[in-house]
Amino acid sequence: SGWEEAKRIIETLLPMAEASSAINGDLGPFEDIFKDARAFVGGELDVKKANLSEPEENIGLSEEEEEEWEDYDEMDLRYADRFFSEIWNILHDEECMSGILDAESPDFELDDVLRVYDKCRLVHTRNFYPKDVLKDFKRNITSYVKGIASGRISEEGRTSYAGEMYYFSERNPYRYDLCFTEDLVNEELMLNDLLMRILQHYTILGIDMNMLDFGVIMAEPGAPTGHWHQDMGDYIFPSSFYKSRVAGHDLPPFAVAVITPLLDVTMEHGPTEFCMGTSNLAGIDSLELEHIPMKDPKLQELRDDFLSCTERCCPAPAWRAPLLEFGDVLLFDYTLFHRGGSNNSPDLRSLIYNTYARPWYKDPNFSVTGREVHATESPLSRFSEPMQELMKNVRFAIPDEIKPEDPDVLANIQFDDLEKQKQFRERHNELEEDEGEHGLIQFRVSNVDIDIEGLKACMRTEGDNVSCYAFHKGMDLEISAEAGTIIIIVAPGNKVIKSIRTHPKDWQGQIIVSSLNTKF
């Protein structure tokens, strides 16, 4: 019931707050959250104030961390400075903006993964999974995708949660999110020792964390850039900062996405793009962000940059697009804004995703109204006990019919057969049909890191006139133009270093210009 769910949330929040020393003999900034919870459950919730004078265990805060928390206690929680101060630190931290750890390096340490994730809410680790195991898994995924395309596996079906389809198109006909069946459970990868040590650490999700969802995200050749979005719903409670002064990194993570590519991703494939620092604003309604007071005038410009974007774009200095290689793993927080890049390659770009969460969290992206179906049709009895425990709330695909795969066909699947598939399923090219429609579209062009004096962004306007604008490093330009407009980035000497053709309707959003996707 609702009040039992709230009790589970509070029972989780209280030890989390104690562990972070945010509570020092009283409930501090969490007081309003607990009051809301008590009201929600009819006063039946009894949350005792924490007493840290005699802690049950030493959580190992360093002197530096203790000083940070002393500063935190002295900070007026009504102000937004703490959020934008952390964002500023992230945007000027090389580990957050471009750092890569290597699991095969002799210097690799688990503590480095935890430290980077704690401050950045994203960590990229090279050589994470054994490549031979991942190759075998890719063969089975290829069989699954090709089986749906050939009709061996029915396109009709649902998931173990409810009557929802087990795959869907992500806003345009070029992107698909395909949930896996039980047959695609791979314990060697999903119970990977390093992955479990990371996720089950108390600073990430804790020992009782669950797996929520697993599958593959595919972008066909020609897929335009996706929309910026977060995977989470509400941050613990709706409008938590407005009601309780709690938001951003005030609380530890509660849900984490883990992705690994099934090929070496280049800029042409359209890597997943992240807006770094946005996790610090989770729980703050975009409409109220403008009105939260600030003490430090130096941070107001940074706030204005994020205000100008809200959920439709990312300030240029905050953009990051990790280029993942086969065997890499990237962990990112549910509160971090991200989007899929445009696939300008001839390959079907595929990423495996697994999502994990604290036991009380329910993924708002999928219905859970039919969870009793999961209990009856997915007993998980053929898996190990740790796997059963991890996946007790997981979302499975249940196609209406699956015919057995010919063993010879499976054995002869080549490593790059998935990329050569190109299309997940037949469809009309809606994008090309839409391109005949006229009308102005609005979007942003952002220069992330190209520092060339005299750089300009030019576009052709009505009457074949060409308008050019200064386009220096870190700059964002607001553009209004017809679909199909050509925008060129011009260096001194009229050297064109990038040419961009706008997409129709709302496919565009924001065009990123960076050293990663521009030749100069």
Side-chain angles (χ1 to χ4, degrees), residues 141 180 300 371 444 446:
I141 294 171
F180 284 157
Q300 290 182 3
R371 281 183 59 199
R444 172 174 289 208
S446 303

Side-chain angles (χ1 to χ4, degrees), residues 440-488:
L440 293 178
I441 55 174
Q442 292 184 330
F443 54 94
R444 172 174 289 208
V445 182
S446 303
N447 181 351
V448 172
D449 59 359
I450 299 180
D451 193 7
I452 299 178
E453 186 176 351
L455 190 69
K456 296 179 180 180
C458 301
M459 58 178 284
R460 191 176 300 279
T461 58
E462 293 182 5
D464 288 336
N465 295 319
V466 176
S467 299
C468 293
Y469 308 90
F471 195 48
H472 56 75
K473 176 182 175 181
M475 188 172 187
D476 297 298
L477 289 176
E478 295 290 342
I479 301 291
S480 180
E482 288 188 355
T485 297
I486 303 296
I487 299 189
I488 56 175

Side-chain angles (χ1 to χ4, degrees), residues 216-228:
V216 60
I217 293 176
M218 298 172 289
E220 297 174 348
T225 305
H227 293 257
W228 290 105

